[in-house]
Amino acid sequence: MDYICIPAEFKWWAKMGYVARGIIYLVIGGLAVLTALGMGGDTTDSKGAILAILEQPFGSALLMLLIIGLFGYSAWRLIQAVRDTDGHGTSLKGIGIRLALFGSSITHALLAVWAISLVLKKSVPGGESFGQMSSGTGQLAFGGVGIICVVAGLAHFYKGWRAGFERYMNLPQTTRFWARPVCRFGLIARGVVWCIVGWFFFDSAMRAQQDQIRGIGEALASLQTSGQGPWLLLTVACGLVAFGIYSCLEALYRRINTG
């Protein structure tokens, strides 16, 4: 495998990125757990989690650390995609994984920029709209995004079921016995959420309606109003907490190839 040679200090920046992602999902999952138990909370997404962090004591300082971590995570994902540090190769599957890593790099960089706007106290848009999908192009775009989200969800199912994450982590034997089921649960729960988000895009495409982008928060809210009531939401919310723990475990044990 052709590893990229980058400064060893970068490893800590990348690990901060995994911690940042973990904190965001711990907040998202934790708030959803409180909602399912009727103890307050809310169903929210990454931006909502960042707003919740900002409202805490020393919120601005905490958010600045989170922003540094998000940029570190974005940079690491970009390196993974461009230099193929994990050896995914150039097969159709490998290219798909690397494109997903590149997309993750972009979305986390944009999230960090949005968080900076909060620190600078600039106006923050409440939502985004694609406008009226009066042509087939808009509907195809929504359908395409829906396919990508569902594929991402199924990939999380597969990675969680097969415990594929272990090949990139140096988990101690004393940790593996509890970390493995927690990580698998977290990945599968995130997969459920991605599949629901994908369905939202499909639904918008089929109805060709003007609508705001619906993401993780709306996916969790849909679970709350399903026939299973709060129990389904509670299960997935606990899974997102588990995904947050998984991200923090990656910060500790994930191999960061620095050369």
Side-chain angles (χ1 to χ4, degrees):
M1 189 185 304
D2 182 20
Y3 292 152
I4 182 172
C5 184
I6 53 179
E9 291 78 7
F10 176 83
K11 178 185 296 186
W12 298 105
W13 194 25
K15 287 179 176 293
M16 279 186 66
Y18 282 112
V19 172
R21 186 182 69 168
I23 290 173
I24 287 173
Y25 273 91
L26 286 171
V27 173
I28 292 173
L31 289 174
V33 167
L34 292 176
T35 300
L37 295 176
M39 300 172 61
D42 195 8
T43 53
T44 189
D45 56 9
S46 298
K47 289 183 178 180
I50 288 175
L51 288 171
I53 292 170
L54 186 61
E55 293 172 356
Q56 303 308 307
F58 307 104
S60 294
L62 293 173
L63 188 53
M64 285 303 301
L65 291 174
L66 192 72
I67 290 168
I68 294 172
L70 286 172
F71 276 124
Y73 188 75
S74 174
W76 169 234
R77 284 306 206 201
L78 182 61
I79 290 173
Q80 285 179 292
V82 174
R83 295 301 298 269
D84 192 21
T85 57
D86 293 325
H88 295 297
T90 55
S91 65
L92 184 61
K93 176 183 176 182
I95 292 296
I97 293 174
R98 292 169 68 180
L99 285 174
L101 291 169
F102 180 76
S104 177
S105 172
I106 297 299
T107 56
H108 283 87
L110 291 175
L111 184 62
V113 171
W114 182 85
I116 289 174
S117 73
L118 292 180
V119 175
L120 297 178
K121 302 186 185 306
K122 292 184 178 180
S123 60
V124 180
E128 300 176 58
S129 175
F130 283 100
Q132 188 70 30
M133 292 186 289
S134 56
S135 68
T137 303
Q139 290 175 264
L140 287 174
F142 262 53
V145 173
I147 291 173
I148 292 172
C149 290
V150 171
V151 169
L154 294 177
H156 277 72
F157 283 139
Y158 182 79
K159 187 176 180 180
W161 181 258
R162 296 294 299 272
F165 54 88
E166 290 185 333
R167 75 182 68 173
Y168 306 113
M169 298 172 68
N170 296 318
L171 284 171
Q173 289 297 327
T174 54
T175 304
R176 189 184 302 271
F177 81 95
W178 64 264
R180 193 180 198 208
V182 167
C183 294
R184 294 177 72 180
F185 181 35
L187 285 163
I188 291 172
R190 196 183 188 213
V192 169
V193 172
W194 272 115
C195 286
I196 295 174
V197 171
W199 166 248
F200 286 158
F201 279 98
F202 277 127
D203 184 54
S204 295
M206 288 186 293
R207 292 193 289 172
Q209 63 177 13
Q210 182 177 359
D211 200 1
Q212 288 189 331
I213 299 174
R214 292 182 289 175
I216 295 175
E218 290 79 8
L220 292 173
S222 72
L223 295 176
Q224 186 180 17
T225 57
S226 67
Q228 300 301 318
W231 295 109
L232 185 56
L233 173 61
L234 180 61
T235 301
V236 175
C238 289
L240 293 181
V241 171
F243 184 81
I245 296 172
Y246 160 65
S247 294
C248 293
L249 287 171
E250 283 196 294
L252 290 172
Y253 303 117
R254 219 281 186 191
R255 289 191 295 275
I256 309 293
N257 302 321
T258 58

